Amino acid sequence: MNAHQPPQTVRANGIDICYEIFGNDNAEPLLLIMGLGAQMIHWDDAFCEQLAVHGFRVIRFDNRDIGKSSHLTGGKRLTPLELLKLRFLRIPVAATYKLIDMARDTVGLMDALGIKSAHLVGASMGGMIAQEVTLSFPERVRSSLTSIMSTTGNPRVPPPTREAAAMLMAPPPRSKEEFVVRYGQTWKVLRAGAFPEEEALDPDRAERVFARGLNPAGVGRQLRAVLASGSRKERLHAMKTPTLVIHGTVDPLVHPEGGKDTAASIPGAKLLMVEGMGHALPMRFWPEIIGAIDKHARRAAAQAA
């Protein structure tokens, strides 16, 4: 039986970070970094448990400005005009913090937990943070990086679909009922297909997210952090960490080219395109994804030994 430690909060990089651990203390540490506006529980409990069964000490956490981690202040709601200026005139978006600060949060959490190095797995914005940790603190990455449905920040990657972009810019829900409905609508768009087994669970998932607390202004600051951090593409050319890139073939938010560009930018990176997967981790894809993460981490660890 794998151990499970309930959520706890620790001080790291000057903020409070809420984290949770699945698996045994002496197992290989594997850090899961979630995406934009997504609490750590978007790494499903059973997903974490299955990774732990493979012999990892799985750590998930709330990024700054989300869930039970510190909520910051400042910054205005992003406007369509700013996005147009960024896209066509390359005028940078102002931001309260950038991805490098979120990378420092990740390293700070590892310091607080006494972890010298860990396998990193990041999804969407979490993949960008994981890339930044690997670039800026390579000694903290335990021989493997897995970047899921993410991108390099290269402005040439095609933009999100109109539907996915509109969802990102929609005003926040005003009530719990509205949030539960919006949650279901959002994930229907992101999954980009029929997933009745997921849709059946969405109301309960939404209730759990709502109960942990929403922070719409924080989501806005996170989005600004992504847009203000620019491209990592050139820096990634020099990266030596064994990297696995996983991306869905029908991702409406981060275009599949984002995954291909990431793999092409990192020397020796392996690319796994998951047929029919959008911008989500539905249960039906878990065996393929968890198997790939496990195999990649083990092979990288063996090569590093």
Side-chain angles (χ1 to χ4, degrees):
M1 185 65 193
N2 276 292
H4 173 220
Q5 295 177 26
Q8 297 175 66
T9 301
V10 73
R11 196 82 182 157
N13 193 30
I15 63 168
D16 291 331
I17 294 182
C18 179
Y19 69 95
E20 189 171 5
I21 300 178
F22 299 81
N24 300 319
D25 286 350
N26 57 356
E28 291 256 313
L30 186 147
L31 212 58
L32 298 173
I33 311 175
M34 224 333 127
L36 176 71
Q39 299 181 9
M40 66 178 182
I41 57 174
H42 282 99
W43 295 110
D44 199 280
D45 296 9
F47 183 90
C48 298
E49 286 161 2
Q50 287 179 35
L51 274 171
V53 167
H54 281 277
F56 296 104
R57 182 187 182 206
V58 179
I59 301 136
R60 66 180 182 183
F61 66 99
D62 285 325
N63 286 311
R64 60 168 62 198
D65 254 338
I66 204 78
K68 299 283 190 186
S69 289
S70 287
H71 294 185
L72 285 79
T73 56
K76 293 189 178 73
R77 194 167 166 73
L78 194 69
T79 65
L81 180 62
E82 284 178 286
L83 287 177
L84 287 170
K85 284 180 174 176
L86 175 69
R87 184 150 191 85
F88 296 109
L89 304 175
R90 301 279 181 264
I91 296 171
V93 165
T96 310
Y97 51 82
K98 293 186 179 179
L99 292 176
I100 182 62
D101 299 297
M102 301 180 84
R104 289 190 184 106
D105 295 345
T106 306
V107 170
L109 174 61
M110 291 167 69
D111 287 341
L113 297 178
I115 297 169
K116 282 186 179 161
S117 65
H119 297 287
L120 293 189
V121 178
S124 197
M125 179 187 73
M128 303 173 199
I129 296 167
Q131 290 170 27
E132 191 58 66
V133 172
T134 310
L135 288 166
S136 301
F137 310 98
E139 72 285 353
R140 307 307 297 267
V141 184
R142 182 176 293 222
S143 66
S144 91
L145 163 67
T146 302
S147 181
I148 305 175
M149 54 193 176
S150 194
T151 182
T152 62
N154 177 3
R156 290 207 171 93
V157 167
T161 65
R162 190 168 292 180
E163 198 179 14
M167 196 192 63
L168 210 58
M169 300 300 286
R174 290 182 298 272
S175 66
K176 180 180 173 180
E177 291 69 30
E178 202 182 318
F179 174 76
V180 173
V181 170
R182 175 84 62 84
Y183 185 96
Q185 292 168 339
T186 298
W187 286 101
K188 208 172 170 72
V189 170
L190 291 178
R191 288 187 199 112
F195 293 88
E197 68 281 12
E198 301 292 334
E199 289 165 23
L201 295 172
D202 281 344
D204 286 345
R205 288 169 173 164
E207 295 266 357
R208 193 174 171 201
V209 167
F210 190 89
R212 295 184 82 243
L214 305 182
N215 186 25
V219 179
R221 281 188 289 272
Q222 288 186 352
L223 182 56
R224 285 181 174 278
V226 170
L227 296 172
S229 294
S231 176
R232 292 167 296 286
K233 187 173 174 67
E234 294 306 316
R235 293 162 65 212
L236 288 168
H237 291 329
M239 207 162 85
K240 295 183 171 64
T241 304
T243 301
L244 170 66
V245 176
I246 301 175
H247 214 103
T249 58
V250 293
D251 192 325
L253 191 63
V254 179
H255 194 281
E257 288 301 319
K260 292 173 185 173
D261 185 57
T262 305
S265 303
I266 299 170
K270 295 193 168 46
L271 176 64
L272 170 62
M273 297 300 293
V274 181
E275 193 61 44
M277 186 171 96
H279 198 78
L281 296 170
M283 294 176 282
R284 70 173 72 156
F285 298 125
W286 288 2
E288 187 176 3
I289 292 167
I290 290 171
I293 292 169
D294 175 49
K295 186 177 173 185
H296 173 62
R298 295 204 178 285
R299 183 183 291 154
Q303 285 170 350

